[in-house]
Amino acid sequence: MHPTPAQPHRAANDHEVESLAEFDEVVAGPGSLAGFRVQAVDLTDRTKALLSVDSAGAVFLGCPMDPEAAARVRAAGALVFPPVPDLPFDPYRGFVYSPDELFESLDEGYEATPDARAYGWFQRTKADGDVYASMLRAVHDDAVSDALDELLVDTRVVGVMGGHAMARGTQAYGDAARLGRELARAGLTVATGGGPGAMEAANLGAYAAPFDDGMLAEALHLLAGAPSFRPSVTDWARAAFEVRDRWPGGGASVGIPTWFYGHEPPNAFAAHIAKYFANSVREDGLLARSTGGVVFLPGAAGTVQEIFDNATPNYYESRGEPTPMVLVDRAHWTERLPAWPLLRALARERRMEARIALVDRIEEAPEALKRLGG
């Protein structure tokens, strides 16, 4: 497996400290933590600095520190939210996840990974009415949203939506991968729902973007040996890491999955994974951040929901100018699930009418997106 991808740099006016290097930079530079928010940084080896630096008005979120240092910064006027024990996730995290982080301990089986353990915790607590558990979920999801916003500053994001049922080894999966690769090679940041199927294929394509065409063909052949995450998530995920190990240093993309759909594991080809407990926050955030438009591949109920979740702000222009929407597979969206006639009727005589398109084949999507202004 590979190290966590590089995280965004701290801007000069950013008062969030999210790494030990940033902490040292602030202490050595301004020389004061007053007003800063220190987020999930292990400060157990920075007791000397904490005992001497000005920390009035600072907030420490889930930062392990020596008891003497914690008492000192509290006395100086800081707020200290200690780490939460016995959780399989950090609610105060400063960065989005990496595949290596979520799939740590995969060698012992998927059930041993942080991703599976977080889902297990969610299953145990989601319906018990415990305000403490719901608070932890909300704090976590807000921290992930903040980290995702920092990651995507000044990037052009194109969303690729589609169902989880698209199997590896199929023509449709290969086409979706080539779509992700073409979008990434055009300088766009590919964002998906972060799960299996069409979502994984698009993230795989973005990962393959720096390599020659033969790499993607070989990767598709290798992955076909584990066509679905059923019956074994472990085998499915291991095949993905085998591809990553064979071709390290792939292109970056974003996956935005959710533990709400715990039966859908995240895919390992998105370098940056913003995983949420609340599916509604995840859905809205994924679409809102797809500023370059969205391509909708064939899917079922979830993809239909995403089409109209995206259509609503385009209809009312609540996020500004409507963004492009490209639906792929005419038969699927006019016969099997006729979302296109409704979308077209909704768009009629509004500005979004010039920003929607229906195409027959995945290969046509990038050109349609470009034509619509994506």
Side-chain angles (χ1 to χ4, degrees):
M1 296 187 182
H2 315 295
T4 303
Q7 302 294 349
H9 296 292
R10 186 173 60 85
N13 61 346
D14 184 1
H15 278 66
E16 294 178 3
V17 174
E18 297 159 331
S19 70
L20 203 55
E22 289 183 358
F23 178 86
D24 291 341
E25 179 186 344
V26 171
V27 170
S32 171
L33 289 169
F36 278 85
R37 281 73 176 104
V38 188
Q39 196 172 343
V41 180
D42 188 342
L43 299 174
T44 51
D45 291 333
R46 295 298 185 271
T47 299
K48 183 177 179 180
L50 291 169
L51 291 176
S52 59
V53 72
D54 177 18
S55 55
V59 179
F60 294 86
L61 299 166
C63 298
M65 64 178 78
D66 184 88
E68 182 185 6
R72 164 65 178 76
V73 297
R74 283 194 183 99
L79 284 176
V80 178
F81 294 79
V84 181
D86 303 321
L87 274 184
F89 63 94
D90 184 352
Y92 301 117
R93 60 180 303 111
F95 303 116
V96 297
Y97 294 95
S98 71
D100 305 276
E101 184 179 1
L102 287 175
F103 285 102
E104 185 181 0
S105 302
L106 182 63
D107 290 345
E108 302 170 30
Y110 173 69
E111 295 73 16
T113 66
D115 185 68
R117 290 189 290 111
Y119 175 61
W121 177 88
F122 180 43
Q123 287 293 97
R124 293 191 299 273
T125 63
K126 68 179 182 179
D128 62 9
D130 183 357
V131 67
Y132 178 58
S134 62
M135 179 199 72
L136 292 173
R137 293 194 296 269
V139 170
H140 169 274
D141 286 1
D142 188 69
V144 167
S145 288
D146 181 66
L148 186 58
D149 285 339
E150 292 175 359
L151 179 72
L152 296 179
V153 169
D154 297 328
T155 60
R156 190 71 166 163
V157 179
V158 171
V160 179
M161 312 299 166
H164 69 264
M166 184 183 288
R168 294 167 172 175
T170 63
Q171 179 67 39
Y173 184 95
D175 289 343
R178 284 181 279 275
L179 169 65
R181 184 179 63 181
E182 184 167 348
L183 295 172
R185 285 178 173 176
L188 300 165
T189 296
V190 173
T192 77
M199 297 171 279
E200 180 189 54
N203 288 128
L204 166 64
Y207 187 90
F211 302 99
D212 62 27
D213 293 353
M215 173 271 175
L216 181 57
E218 291 184 59
L220 290 170
H221 178 74
L222 193 157
L223 291 170
S228 173
F229 61 96
R230 297 188 178 101
S232 173
V233 175
T234 302
D235 292 344
W236 175 84
R238 282 175 177 166
F241 279 105
E242 185 177 345
V243 170
R244 285 167 39 113
D245 289 340
R246 185 170 175 183
W247 293 281
S253 64
V254 176
I256 307 181
T258 174
W259 281 293
F260 182 80
Y261 295 133
H263 61 286
E264 292 184 14
N267 77 73
F269 293 111
H272 309 290
I273 302 176
K275 190 154 191 177
Y276 290 88
F277 289 105
N279 186 50
S280 57
V281 177
R282 169 254 192 170
E283 289 276 9
D284 185 68
L286 171 55
L287 294 167
R289 291 175 176 88
S290 297
T291 53
V294 182
V295 178
F296 297 92
L297 302 178
T303 311
V304 172
Q305 177 182 339
E306 288 163 345
I307 290 173
F308 292 102
D309 280 348
N310 197 41
T312 300
N314 281 346
Y315 180 89
Y316 290 111
E317 300 187 24
S318 55
R319 295 182 185 139
E321 186 176 350
T323 53
M325 300 176 64
V326 179
L327 277 61
V328 176
D329 191 331
R330 189 176 303 273
H332 186 85
W333 294 121
T334 62
E335 299 171 17
R336 288 187 286 276
L337 293 174
W340 172 253
L342 178 54
L343 179 65
R344 186 172 58 178
L346 195 66
R348 189 170 295 125
E349 297 182 359
R350 302 188 76 90
R351 286 211 299 171
M352 70 176 286
E353 187 173 18
R355 293 297 182 94
I356 64 172
L358 174 67
V359 299
D360 290 308
R361 296 177 295 110
I362 289 178
E363 296 89 338
E364 301 173 71
E367 179 57 36
L369 195 67
K370 184 177 179 180
R371 185 176 69 251
L372 298 178

